[in-house]
Amino acid sequence: MTDTIVIAHHAGSKIRAYVLLTKPRVIELLLVTTVPAMVLADEGLPSLTLIGAVLLGGALAAGGANTINCWIERDRDRVMHRTQGRPLPTGQIEPGHALVFGITLEALAFLWLWGTVNLLAASLAVSAMLFYVFVYTIWLKPRSPQNIVIGGAAGAVPVLVGWAAVTGTLDAPAWVLFAIVFCWTPPHFWALSLRYRDDYAAAGIPMLPVARGVASAARQILVYSLVVVAVTLLLFRFEPMGLVYLVAAVALGAAFIWHAFGLQRDATPKRAMRMFSFSNTYLALLFAAIAVDTLVGAF
């Protein structure tokens, strides 16, 4: 009985380690934007079967990309206090096994989305992984303080996947949704990098607060916060959005800018984490408002 318990505990720990490699919280954030994009594309509620297929495929694709990212950055992760406890730095999983796991997830994501949704959605999901791994992680992140500005495009692709799953095309509103997430990513991630500036400096990663200083990063966070709020209003140019979305975009946007102003006045780690936490809430509520507004208009 004792041996069985030990084996079960070991197996559970190993499964948990593999799950952690996929960065589940990041996956949740990506999928939060996908379903509202599908609702807007459908101008109503898509079939639950389609939603489920897209969510599963998106989770596999994002998990695979995150796993490969962990494999590439395992040596940097050992240096940073925030990431030292990840499965690869702690030796819970062998690097080779992690790489195979990540590639397998990507292959499954492509085949699943192709078979259950369409080729465009499948191709977009895998293209996000390729951009995230090769353009952001390998090329930009260790070289440029603008890494997340360009690299953030990978995190904006799920809205395109959701739209393509419903329509089989990429129309103008899909690109506005993409632009919202794209412009939101720098202030979101720079706030986190302000909090962990010393970690990034120790790892030799030129995140904006490291390369240009805290004050410069805080100013850029404010600039991009203003930009993302402006882009949210651009959606009215291409879609007949209603009062629910208007109120949400204005109210949430005002709060987002207020947090950015506060961070510029007092660029402390505590303020930075407030900005980071609220940015997650902001994006989730904004896209929820898109879905609610669309469903209200459909009835």
Side-chain angles (χ1 to χ4, degrees), residues 59-128:
L60 290 171
N66 290 333
T67 299
I68 296 170
N69 169 268
C70 285
W71 176 78
I72 294 169
E73 298 203 303
R74 62 192 185 279
D75 291 333
R76 298 174 196 157
D77 285 346
R78 290 190 183 97
V79 178
M80 299 175 63
H81 291 293
R82 183 173 68 90
T83 56
Q84 284 177 343
R86 287 178 176 173
L88 287 175
T90 56
Q92 298 175 66
I93 296 175
E94 293 182 17
H97 294 170
L99 179 59
V100 170
F101 178 60
I103 294 173
T104 300
L105 288 179
E106 286 302 322
L108 289 174
F110 180 80
L111 293 173
W112 172 260
L113 288 171
W114 188 10
T116 62
V117 184
N118 57 52
L119 181 58
L120 178 58
S123 300
L124 285 167
V126 175
S127 72

Side-chain angles (χ1 to χ4, degrees), residues 33 37 124 127-128 131 149-161 163 170-185 228 231 235 283 287:
T33 62
L124 285 167
S127 72
F131 192 91
V149 175
I150 302 169
V157 170
V159 298
L160 301 182
V161 174
W163 192 279
L170 292 176
D171 304 302
W175 291 107
V176 176
L177 298 179
F178 175 93
I180 290 172
V181 182
F182 179 78
C183 295
W184 165 89
T185 302
V228 72
V231 174
L235 189 57
L283 193 69
F287 272 80

Side-chain angles (χ1 to χ4, degrees), residues 21-247:
L21 272 181
T22 67
K23 302 181 184 177
R25 294 185 67 181
V26 176
I27 294 175
E28 289 174 11
L29 184 62
L30 294 175
L31 298 183
V32 156
T33 62
T34 304
V35 174
M38 296 178 70
V39 171
L40 186 60
D42 191 74
E43 297 183 352
L45 186 65
S47 73
L48 296 181
T49 301
L50 180 61
I51 292 175
V54 172
L55 290 181
L56 177 57
L60 290 171
N66 290 333
T67 299
I68 296 170
N69 169 268
C70 285
W71 176 78
I72 294 169
E73 298 203 303
R74 62 192 185 279
D75 291 333
R76 298 174 196 157
D77 285 346
R78 290 190 183 97
V79 178
M80 299 175 63
H81 291 293
R82 183 173 68 90
T83 56
Q84 284 177 343
R86 287 178 176 173
L88 287 175
T90 56
Q92 298 175 66
I93 296 175
E94 293 182 17
H97 294 170
L99 179 59
V100 170
F101 178 60
I103 294 173
T104 300
L105 288 179
E106 286 302 322
L108 289 174
F110 180 80
L111 293 173
W112 172 260
L113 288 171
W114 188 10
T116 62
V117 184
N118 57 52
L119 181 58
L120 178 58
S123 300
L124 285 167
V126 175
S127 72
M129 178 277 294
L130 294 173
F131 192 91
Y132 180 59
V133 168
F134 291 100
V135 177
Y136 173 66
T137 304
I138 295 177
W139 178 36
L140 289 173
K141 188 173 182 178
R143 292 176 175 82
S144 171
Q146 296 298 310
N147 45 30
I148 198 63
V149 175
I150 302 169
V157 170
V159 298
L160 301 182
V161 174
W163 192 279
V166 172
T167 67
T169 61
L170 292 176
D171 304 302
W175 291 107
V176 176
L177 298 179
F178 175 93
I180 290 172
V181 182
F182 179 78
C183 295
W184 165 89
T185 302
H188 165 73
F189 201 85
W190 283 336
L192 182 67
S193 63
L194 271 173
R195 166 63 179 84
Y196 293 101
R197 180 174 179 268
D198 292 342
D199 262 6
Y200 285 109
I205 301 172
M207 299 304 297
L208 190 63
V210 176
R212 302 286 170 80
V214 171
S216 176
R219 284 194 299 271
Q220 289 298 307
I221 287 173
L222 176 57
V223 170
Y224 272 88
S225 298
L226 292 167
V227 170
V228 72
V229 173
V231 174
T232 62
L233 300 178
L234 184 62
L235 189 57
F236 286 96
R237 168 67 177 79
F238 300 99
E239 280 288 326
M241 306 304 297
L243 186 61
V244 172
Y245 179 72
L246 176 61
V247 171

Side-chain angles (χ1 to χ4, degrees), residues 258-289:
W258 181 81
H259 275 279
F261 267 118
L263 183 59
Q264 188 182 33
R265 291 194 306 269
D266 181 30
T268 61
K270 185 177 181 179
R271 279 274 191 177
M273 286 309 293
R274 285 181 188 171
M275 176 74 188
F276 175 76
S277 297
F278 179 74
S279 67
N280 287 324
T281 302
Y282 169 83
L283 193 69
L285 291 179
L286 182 75
F287 272 80

